[in-house]
Amino acid sequence: MPTPYRTILADDVFDLRFMVKLALERSGHFVVVAEAENGDEAVKMAEQHQPDLVLLDVSMPVKDGLEALPDIRTVSPEAKVVMLSGFEATRLSQVALEGGASAYLEKGIPPGQLVDELLKILGAAA
C-alpha cells in the first residue's frame, strides 16, 4: 500500500473530528497529522504540516472554512482542500469550488463512502 495521505481535520466539533479520523485511519489510506477547531488554526496547521489533504468545515468560529480556504491555498498550495459541511451542497459548493476547494462534501455520508470520495479526489484507487 502506498504511503498514507497526510491529512488535517478542521472542525469545531470534537466528536465529528474523532469519527472522521477513525474512519480515515482505519482505511489505511490516511494519517491525521493535525486537527484544528477553527479556520485560523487550520491555516497554521496547513503551513506547518504541508498535508496532502485538508478536510475543512464551512461553519467554524474565529475564521470559517470559506474565509480560511484562500489562506490555506496560499500556505499549502499542493494540498487538496475538501470542504465538509452540514449545509446543502447546492448552497455553498460553487462558492467553495470557485475559492479553490477540490470538492464539497456534505457531512453525514457513510464512512466508507467518505473514504472512497476522498480517494477519488486525490486520484487514488480504493
Side-chain angles (χ1 to χ4, degrees):
M1 178 179 288
T3 304
Y5 292 102
R6 297 168 37 83
T7 304
I8 292 175
L9 299 179
D11 196 297
D12 58 323
V13 179
F14 172 81
D15 290 345
L16 185 87
R17 287 195 322 268
F18 178 79
M19 295 302 291
V20 171
K21 179 179 180 177
L22 193 63
L24 296 180
E25 291 191 341
R26 280 194 172 169
S27 77
H29 295 284
F30 302 89
V31 60
V32 175
V33 296
E35 296 181 39
E37 294 182 1
N38 62 60
D40 229 18
E41 288 179 4
V43 173
K44 290 173 186 160
M45 295 294 115
E47 184 172 27
Q48 179 182 350
H49 293 281
Q50 295 300 306
D52 302 304
L53 174 67
V54 177
L55 283 180
L56 187 62
D57 183 27
V58 170
S59 181
M60 293 184 290
V62 182
K63 181 184 277 191
D64 71 30
L66 291 173
E67 293 170 326
L69 178 59
D71 295 338
I72 291 171
R73 300 296 312 131
T74 298
V75 301
S76 187
E78 300 301 314
K80 298 275 188 184
V81 180
V82 175
M83 305 303 291
L84 192 61
S85 178
F87 298 109
E88 281 184 48
T90 53
R91 287 182 47 206
L92 295 173
S93 62
Q94 195 59 38
V95 173
L97 295 173
E98 288 171 0
S102 297
Y104 186 104
L105 300 175
E106 290 184 35
K107 289 181 181 178
I109 64 174
Q113 184 181 345
L114 174 62
V115 168
D116 290 345
E117 289 293 325
L118 293 174
L119 289 173
K120 282 182 207 169
I121 292 161
L122 290 162

